């Protein structure tokens, strides 16, 4: 049909694209995610064209209203995007022209698909970043609540997955709140750094028409104003890489949480029971109660890292300005974002439904070996140089192993034989509750410190309008 | 409905999965690719169960016929896979039971979804590998034809993208045929290494029922027979990683080809014009003829590398045997395979439609600097040690730069001043046609050698039933 | 030797490590980079122990002075780190004890190698980030100077590597200054987010001794104060991943610059000549002048992406708190940082030494096809709807191709036959200088806008104490 | 010095390289690994030049003997490689000329550093692959021995890290032998595919001199003869990527083994105790016995994946033929190979020193839930359709959970209430020894099958000259 943009090929070409090439080139199956951003960007552009005197007010109004209709048609599912029109942008413009005629043909001056897709993708990315920030906050609320409930619940802390020192469950859970807090900061930074509007950069070289880029930037809430270099603006996908990185590191954190849930829900550890809504059974083994969701949280990290690699590698070695390779940056971004969203979506319910076996944790925390460091510190308090204290306790551990008893099972003779300083008073440091309560250093596991950190987190979350 | 497998949860669970967890867990949107492999695997299993006396012949027949109906229903699009049933396996079994009743409930003994999905995925992977091998061969046919046509077409060869020595276009194109030949070998090896059947490994521990794994292996054309360790068999995704690697390296090769087409179709190089069916225009700049397909061939490599990273990273640190993380290995495999398939699909047409500007290539090949090495070799033929010859020509190049002339533009006085050996006879080595014709070493660019290599490739492709 | 820490094995073990295990475990060949941070951290710790009353002032002084000696010994090369002592931390402490005796044995209470290495590595990472920021600024100075000199130098701008529209060289160079500006922001953010001190987190669970973490944080210039969770603090390597990501994206930007230099220094483009100090010759081809440095800038991006993948993958699925895997996070961080530093180090000289062939660029910019968009915009100025203008120019381009002339070579009859609007006045928009001067939109390539952006960048760099 | 190759710059350049550029460009600190391959390749080249009549026999002898001296000097450490000469190749040739004079200047005709480094690197890669194959075999010997010793040792098998079914320890260990067996195959394939000699491909375009490439290929044991395309030969690093991939997948397998050792040596599992030579202690916690080596095996996988990414990404988009970026392919290859070698080196000792706690494993294997599947299979043997059997056992499991007893703790009334088929005879299937002994399917865990697989592996290893 004359007058319709034919997927960007224009009058320049006599024939159609080769079918295999068209398949390689197709993007509507993924760039449909940009529909609402595309419409929003085009509306801002049209309104600005009116003010700049490049189109009439009537045409501007017709375009804005027409775009609303286009959006509704495609979003409602009443109308499908046509792959023959290459991408979502051409679908929108083409349908607009069908709906409103001549006025629709006046939408595209002073812009190009290059600045258009850069704008759409940045709008999407910023939305996605803020959405993930909210989802992170909900996960932090859930962790905060469980941490408050378990501020004084004892369990072994591990290094190298060997029992190391007694800690509190609230402290353990808050470690994940810390990680998520840093993740949040990265998304906020990424969103802020993406706050410059590419719209008006044209295909690569701006435009000679008297447009007002600051106005469209403001309409689209790009608080950083317009970008400062048109060649960079149309070829920049840093914001996508930065968000994909934030997603990948978030996914790594969730993988650690997932690993621990898998581990803790083993028969051997038995520290936690996942909510039934987060488990699956087996098609063969009738007794199984598998922590599928925790495993998926773990596995998704590989996917997110892969998305990041794709984004960075695609951008490697590209000359200025726009290159078609950049189309390939969309899917990894979408996948990274949606993986993050899906993973975070399970967190509030998953965390809230965790049933900790407090008795089993407490029993494990009674393991006297966990108090070895506390013993050493007690010796230091009694004036023994630390290195010497470390050696004394090392001998104590070996003696206990030889006798096949725990540290508490050594008798007074054993203690005397090792070091005179090992008085009953000193040995009392082995009590797990006493040991952990003493570790009131900032960031320490003592119940009092956990409560302090919970309060700090609550204050932050409350200030964000949440109810932790 | 009682009697239907409910997504593997079985009677073990009272409630349903949390919706966010179900979304995270869902796989029918991607594992639908396994439909035909799943049906094929189940039919093999059912037939074996009859022979083993575990089900009746009538039940076996009913299952096999029922599975054909199930496959048809889903493939025709008449029936959609139900996400509530988790995966394609449960969809197939559930629908089978609906269709044939009690007999359908007798299909699953002595197997589990764990060995079932491992089998399906291996069947898919092997099919995919062989399909890619065929697509590689078609690309090699196209390269072979163009190489034959251009066995004697001169152009500059480059190192560091600096003009280096004259070569022939046929030689240049055959370099890609070599790369694709190695890629082919990797897919063949991967397919061969995946030729052991996991079916019958159960959930992790085999089965005590008297099944015949060799029989199902044979039915499913697993030429390596059954796998040798059930724990390994259900958790092995090496074949997926190996194919993804082969896809990634193939994609890297195609990215090099794409880069060269982008470069050669610039105004500055002007060596080639892509077929119109492989180009796009611009929504803003009416004159553009963009080599989109070549750019996408280049960009897709990032995606394939990302898929490989995902696969490897997901598998890191997994304990024996099956873990849910393995579900995440499917999508990167599919994406790697489909990326390879889509990229290869454009190659025959793209290569065939290349219009080389032979005149421009020839003109560039006349650049006398390209003959510097040939001059040095000519001096060696006249007895000059190579290092000395290299130095003489180095001085020649600097002299020509000082005089702002080409090597051929230096006069007899210049030559004498540099080295007495630089006779007119020696300087004749600068003729590009003569120079390249002389390089008849094995694997060299002389037209005679290109023809020899074309013949070798033709013979190989003909033996494969192709018409190069 | 009694009294010396034996690589952390302590009295707990009877025998030595297996040699192959020791080789796998060895770290002094890379963690020697932490020497000065380790000494600095230990001195801060010792001073705090004095204030906290845990060691005497005399012991504290002896430790601080002794550590200075240890640092000097190792840094001067007079003393080598001993691999048998596992790592730099044990080497320092062991040598300290040799030098000052008993007092040295009082350094280690209330800390562990776990919080010690986390602290050291953060100190290193923050130093590295700031160092890279400075190096980025020097690269921006060089780009700024060349951009100023070439604010009005015309050359073709490219999309899809096809000539698109005329731009200015200054504008092109400033695109890289924009990328580097964003990179700078990422390093600054990463450094800021790493500003919490892990010291005092102990092995995983803090300490019961009355230490003052805020004091050591302040001494070590951790402006964020102490970390808030000991389990997180000893296992957090987010800062390493974040810096590695910033390095990877920086490397991708430099790879784009490298690619363009390689391209522009081809015979075919001929836009630039690299300084001789940045090129290499050939061992065989005497005439070669290869842009090795530009190629390495391009290739190094692969390495940086690999480092990032290593860091993220290593952290996947690790349980709380410290795990030995974290040792493997050091080398990728060092490699990413040093790759960034080496790459940036060449930038000022490389950029300053670029000799642009202004005449060749100008000649290429005369290509009339570059003005097609400007023509279309001129038609829009005369009231033609953009889509229609785009089509008119599309027909113009095809007509010119048919006649094998440039757009300027079409005669009045051709123009009339296509569209009456194509008056000589309109066709004057094809003049490259006029076209580019008209594109004065924010971020546009007009010389006036380049000067404005140069001034903005100069102001920023001057405020940083540099002389752009 | 006249007559020496000056790092490849030759007479072409007036000045030296910029120091920062030289630092970026430097390679002797890593390509020193190629010394022996470089010398070997040059000797083969020299001998061929004699036969081809390009140099005299006396010169050939002088070169061969001189190269031996050069190798000895550098290898003994008596002489250091000079970074000013760029790389190992120029160091060798330069020193050769110093030692033997004029004859040394006759070594380089008909080759270039481009084919030289490709040849050296392939020689290295093939050596490395074969070395890793041997190391894999030694690891398999160790696994085979432990598997034989524990063919009948019972322990729980896990899926999703939930106890699933009883298996045997020998079976579990053999799963790793299977993985390593596939790894072996990949290295063998990679080595075979790298068996074509690039030597004689020149800089990119072969040579016009009458050399005999088949002869040098044979001398250097390249069983595939010379490569078939000079442009491909000098730019091909597929062999490096393929070996790096094989290393990465091997590392993933070892990461799984490492993860299991970490897990099994926890207090909670307590299935194994690592040899003291493979553990470390804590600088703070005196009782710790950390499985450092197992953790490093796990962590190293991230590094190997990073190396692979680097190799693939570096090669992306490179035009023919040689580009300097390829220099960056060396370090990731070396790192991948050395990581594999170091990891494998610990395996024989680590595996041999594992002390399994057979009693604890056996006790865990008594968990009646592990027999649920065996029960279901027993019901199938009694004619119950599998899906029905699965449901019956599902109800049994829920009933046992409600009563807080094990499956064996349910009384006859419970059983009857659930299903009449649950006779005492059927319930006897819960005995772990009986259950596992029944699973004699190929690849199953029954002791008899483990012994069969051990015998198969022994036969293979014995045929390789090893003593399993």
């Amino acid at each position: 049909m004359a007058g319709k943009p034919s997927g960007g090929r224009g009058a320049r070409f006599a024939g159609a694209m080769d079918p295999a090439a068209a398949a390689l080139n197709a993007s509507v199956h993924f760039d449909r995610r940009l529909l609402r951003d595309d419409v929003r960007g085009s509306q801002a552009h049209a309104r600005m064209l009116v003010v700049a005197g490049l189109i009439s007010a009537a045409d501007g109004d017709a375009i804005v209203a027409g775009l609303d209709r286009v959006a509704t048609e495609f979003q409602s599912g009443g109308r499908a995007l046509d792959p023959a029109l290459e991408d979502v942008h051409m679908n929108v413009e083409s349908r607009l022209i069908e709906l409103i005629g001549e006025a629709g043909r006046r939408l595209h001056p002073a812009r190009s698909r290059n600045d258009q897709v850069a704008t759409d993708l940045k709008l999407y990315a910023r939305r996605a970043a803020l959405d993930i920030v909210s989802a992170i906050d909900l996960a932090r609320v859930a962790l905060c609540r469980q941490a408050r409930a378990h501020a004084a619940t004892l369990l072994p802390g591990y290094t190298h997955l060997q029992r190391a020192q007694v800690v509190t469950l609230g402290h353990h859970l808050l470690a994940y709140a810390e990680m998520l807090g840093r993740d949040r900061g990265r998304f906020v930074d990424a969103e802020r750094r993406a706050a410059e509007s590419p719209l008006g950069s044209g295909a690569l070289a701006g435009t000679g028409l008297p447009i007002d880029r600051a106005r469209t930037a403001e309409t689209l809430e790009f608080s950083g104003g317009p970008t400062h270099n048109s060649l960079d603006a149309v070829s920049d996908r840093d914001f996508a890489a930065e968000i994909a990185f934030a997603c990948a590191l978030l996914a790594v954190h969730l993988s650690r949480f997932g690993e621990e849930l898998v581990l803790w829900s083993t028969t051997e550890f038995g520290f936690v029971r996942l909510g039934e809504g987060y488990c699956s059974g087996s098609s063969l083994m009738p007794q199984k109660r598998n922590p599928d969701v925790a495993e998926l949280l773990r596995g998704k990290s590989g996917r997110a890292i892969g998305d990041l690699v794709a984004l960075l590698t695609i951008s490697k070695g590209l000359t200025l300005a726009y290159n078609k390779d950049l189309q390939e940056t969309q899917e990894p971004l979408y996948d990274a974002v949606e993986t993050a969203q899906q993973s975070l979506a399970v967190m509030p319910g998953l965390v809230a439904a965790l049933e900790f076996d407090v008795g089993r944790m407490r029993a494990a925390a009674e393991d006297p070996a966990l108090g070895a460091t506390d013993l050493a510190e007690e010796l230091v308090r009694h004036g023994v140089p630390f290195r010497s204290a470390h050696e004394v306790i090392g001998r104590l551990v070996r003696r206990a192993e030889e006798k096949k008893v725990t540290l508490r099972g050594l008798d007074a003779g054993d203690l005397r034989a090792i070091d005179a300083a090992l008085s009953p008073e000193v040995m009392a440091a082995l009590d797990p509750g006493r040991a952990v309560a003493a570790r009131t250093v900032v960031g320490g596991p003592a119940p009092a410190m956990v409560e302090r950190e919970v309060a700090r987190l609550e204050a932050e979350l409350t200030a964000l309008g949440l109810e932790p």
Side-chain angles (χ1 to χ4, degrees), chain A:
Chain A
M1 169 185 158
K4 277 180 61 180
S6 52
R9 291 176 74 80
R12 173 77 184 73
F13 291 100
M17 212 175 208
D18 169 80
L24 194 72
N25 199 40
S27 66
V28 293
H29 58 289
F30 57 80
D31 67 14
R32 57 180 171 70
R33 287 170 182 84
L34 300 180
L35 176 63
R36 75 155 126 154
D37 302 300
D38 193 67
V39 164
R40 190 179 166 213
S42 288
Q43 290 176 327
H45 186 64
R47 288 198 182 97
M48 182 277 293
L49 290 177
V50 172
V51 176
L54 288 160
I55 62 172
S56 70
D59 280 353
D61 288 345
I63 290 171
V64 169
L67 285 168
D68 279 335
R69 273 184 65 193
V70 172
T72 304
E73 284 183 357
F74 285 125
Q75 275 169 342
S76 68
R79 188 172 196 86
L81 293 166
D82 179 2
L85 289 172
E86 276 191 28
D87 53 35
V88 69
H89 321 291
M90 285 298 165
N91 268 276
V92 167
E93 189 178 344
S94 172
R95 181 61 185 151
L96 176 70
I97 293 171
E98 283 179 352
L99 288 175
I100 68 166
E102 187 73 5
R105 295 168 62 79
R106 294 184 183 275
L107 168 61
H108 207 59
R111 73 169 188 180
S112 147
R113 265 191 301 180
N114 295 353
D115 59 339
Q116 190 178 351
V117 69
T119 303
D120 292 2
L121 206 53
K122 259 194 179 174
L123 288 171
Y124 168 86
R126 298 180 73 203
R127 271 200 293 128
L130 295 178
D131 182 72
I132 291 172
V133 163
S134 298
I136 287 173
D137 287 338
L138 293 176
R140 293 201 296 162
V141 165
L143 288 166
C144 186
R145 288 177 185 164
Q146 286 277 24
R148 188 170 48 213
H150 291 288
T153 302
L154 300 188
L155 84 164
Y158 297 78
T159 60
H160 306 258
L161 213 52
Q162 293 292 306
R163 290 183 181 173
Q165 294 185 265
V166 178
V167 296
T168 45
L169 178 54
H171 189 58
H172 193 105
L173 293 169
L174 285 180
Y176 289 100
E178 284 292 302
M179 295 179 214
L180 291 178
R182 285 192 298 274
D183 289 324
R184 186 187 204 281
R186 273 181 284 271
F187 283 101
V188 167
D189 283 353
E191 197 274 341
R192 170 178 49 75
R193 215 182 327 275
E196 292 185 350
S197 168
L199 195 59
S201 297
L204 76 157
T207 177
L209 297 174
I211 61 171
D212 183 351
R213 296 188 59 208
R215 175 176 286 268
T216 47
E218 196 184 343
T219 309
L220 296 170
E221 296 173 90
F222 279 109
S223 54
T227 52
H228 289 273
N229 188 289
S230 61
L231 294 165
D232 173 55
V234 298
S235 64
D236 169 32
R237 294 296 181 271
D238 284 10
F239 58 94
E242 192 166 346
I243 285 176
F245 167 68
C247 290
L249 194 42
L250 165 67
V252 166
H253 294 151
L254 296 179
S255 82
R256 300 179 65 185
F257 189 63
E259 169 83 5
E260 293 212 312
L261 292 184
V262 169
L263 189 70
W264 285 12
S265 58
T266 57
T267 304
E268 289 75 10
F269 274 78
F271 286 177
V272 78
R273 192 175 158 88
L274 266 63
E276 200 172 284
Y278 302 90
C279 294
S280 288
S282 161
S283 70
L284 175 60
M285 298 170 293
Q287 89 285 5
K288 291 299 292 296
R289 193 175 200 280
N290 295 325
D292 287 46
V293 168
E295 295 167 273
L296 288 167
L297 284 181
R298 184 174 61 188
K300 294 281 183 189
S301 59
R303 175 181 199 131
I305 297 172
D307 290 328
L308 173 60
V309 167
L311 263 163
L312 288 169
T313 304
I314 290 162
S315 306
K316 179 209 161 195
L318 293 185
T319 54
L320 290 175
Y322 183 84
N323 292 286
K324 186 72 175 188
D325 315 54
L326 293 178
Q327 178 169 298
E328 289 291 315
T329 60
Q330 290 192 35
E331 281 174 285
L333 174 62
Y334 301 145
D335 194 66
V337 163
E338 290 167 11
T339 297
Q341 289 171 328
Q342 286 184 338
S343 296
L344 286 168
V346 301
M347 285 291 288
L350 174 68
V351 171
L354 293 174
E355 298 169 39
F356 295 103
D357 189 332
V358 172
R360 238 183 121 121
M361 285 182 169
R362 168 83 205 189
E366 296 283 345
D367 181 347
L370 289 162
T373 305
D374 301 292
L375 263 191
E377 290 201 343
E378 192 64 25
L379 289 175
V380 169
R381 279 196 201 93
H382 286 70
V384 182
F386 179 77
R387 275 287 158 230
S388 308
H390 188 265
E391 283 159 25
V392 167
I393 308 302
R395 288 199 297 276
L396 202 69
V397 169
R398 296 197 71 185
R399 181 68 187 134
E401 287 198 359
E402 283 157 19
K403 289 187 69 174
K404 297 189 191 305
V405 297
T406 70
L407 289 186
R408 268 186 230 136
L410 292 170
D411 60 32
D414 293 317
L415 300 179
R416 259 195 318 273
I418 288 166
D419 200 288
L422 295 169
S423 64
E425 184 193 4
V426 164
M427 294 304 284
L430 285 178
D431 175 71
R434 182 178 142 172
V436 79
R439 292 202 295 272
T440 55
V441 70
V442 176
M449 298 310 291
V450 174
E451 280 161 20
R452 206 173 90 168
E453 289 300 326
V454 163
R456 199 174 68 95
L457 180 54
E458 282 173 348
E460 184 193 338
L461 293 168
T462 303
L464 291 165
L466 297 159
E467 299 181 12

